[in-house]
Amino acid sequence: MNDAQFTEADFLPRVCTARHFETQPNAPKSTVPRRCEHYETSFYLTDSGTLFVNGQAYAIKRNYVRFVRPGDIVYSSPSFRCMTIHFDANAFETENLGVFSDIPRYFSASEEIGRIYEKCIHLFGNPDVGSGLLLNSYVLRLIYSLYSISHREK
């Protein structure tokens, strides 16, 4: 019998960061464009600022979601507040998984979606046994919810 040992870090998605983010009052007019290394999703808490994804500008609105993929070019103009999660899902073979490609890059969501972001932020970095698994389950729930919203709107 093979007694393979797994740690919570072996389960996907692997969350790289989950946090609240707020631009600084004295921030420059816009951030430097950067290429995303991971999947990134943000839930916006304010009606101010501008988001740019692959050259497309979006007015930041409260309860809207940004979902970008590795390789996307992003930057923003202040000021705004959001909750953000970056995760790695490479082993899902995401290029063949329509769930990821079918989620729009920017769209309206709900307060319920915001609560999932809050739970992820609360769990990120929690050293308790099982908290990493619970975090991953919430990220999977978030992905499913974002996918469902995007299909409901079509």
Side-chain angles (χ1 to χ4, degrees), residues 78-94:
S79 73
F80 60 88
R81 290 183 305 119
C82 67
M83 295 180 282
T84 190
I85 300 168
H86 297 194
F87 65 94
D88 179 24
N90 289 341
F92 283 143
E93 297 183 30
T94 53

Side-chain angles (χ1 to χ4, degrees), residues 63 65 71 121 130:
N63 294 340
V65 167
I121 290 168

Side-chain angles (χ1 to χ4, degrees), residues 80-121:
F80 60 88
R81 290 183 305 119
C82 67
M83 295 180 282
T84 190
I85 300 168
H86 297 194
F87 65 94
D88 179 24
N90 289 341
F92 283 143
E93 297 183 30
T94 53
E95 64 276 0
N96 297 321
L97 189 60
V99 170
F100 288 91
S101 61
D102 287 351
I103 298 173
R105 286 180 168 77
Y106 191 67
F107 59 98
S108 176
S110 67
E111 292 287 334
E112 180 182 339
I113 297 295
R115 287 189 284 278
I116 299 173
Y117 281 83
E118 283 287 355
K119 289 176 183 179
C120 291
I121 290 168

